[in-house]
Amino acid sequence: MLRLRRTATAAAVVFTVATTAVLGVAGPASAHVSVNPKEATQGGYGRFAFRVPNESDTASTTKVEVVLPENAPVGSVSTMPVPGWTVVVEKRKVDPPVEVHGSQLTEVVSKLTWTASGDAAVKPGQFQEFPVSMGPLPQVDRMVFKSLQTYSDGNVVRWIEEPTPGAEEPEKPAPVLTLTPASASAAPSAAPAGQAEADDDDEDTDGAATGLGIAGLVAGLAGLLLGGLAFARTRREAAPKA
């Protein structure tokens, strides 16, 4: 029994060490600039946040630059204020124009640059999110947002490598937003849904009527039975005694 306990303890120690080693290697690789959520629908609008973790042990992140892909222009792009940060919006000409709510736009946002002021920089061990509203989203499979992260010591990390589906993640991957086609069955299902509700109402009404009919029949049978018993009792009482 003692030997078995020692073997189990040794196995547990080996498993713990191996798990720690694996997590220790995997942790830093996942700490890169990303866009959240990671999926959206083509033609729709959405609120997205560029999440920027600080990977330095000694310096703070003071500037973040996000480039919108040239092959996927977006007509409407707006930023949400981030306390302690200023944002500069750069634009570019597009041809053909991008349609937004019936209007033809010949100019779209090409780059967003956030810069920290005062003590708002992203410190070691922290992260910051930069919210953006975008739409209508283009008819493409994905949007790749090449990004640059500048630190207070002058170091610039270029998150610009495009991930390849099915391949190993690159060392400095760019944030990727996956876009899926809008569901063709979403709109037609609205009319049948109303009809289904009406059918459900009819079924409920029929069920209620059937229940009431059965209850009435039971009550009638009970009354008939009670009436028969009363009649028999009356006959017994009226019969001449021998």
Side-chain angles (χ1 to χ4, degrees), residues 68-151:
L68 277 69
E70 291 190 7
N71 66 335
V74 181
S76 176
V77 178
S78 57
T79 61
M80 178 181 290
V82 179
W85 292 75
T86 58
V87 59
V88 174
V89 180
E90 298 180 32
K91 296 186 176 183
R92 64 182 176 87
K93 298 291 184 179
V94 289
D95 187 20
V98 177
E99 183 175 345
V100 179
H101 300 306
S103 300
Q104 301 293 322
L105 303 181
T106 59
E107 195 175 56
V108 297
V109 173
S110 60
K111 182 180 178 181
L112 299 170
T113 302
W114 287 273
T115 305
S117 58
D119 195 40
V122 187
K123 299 173 179 57
Q126 299 180 351
F127 73 91
Q128 179 64 56
E129 290 189 335
F130 300 90
V132 176
S133 175
M134 297 188 295
L137 297 175
Q139 304 294 321
V140 295
D141 294 335
R142 66 177 188 170
M143 297 179 69
V144 180
F145 300 92
K146 296 184 178 182
S147 307
L148 275 65
Q149 180 178 9
T150 301
Y151 285 90

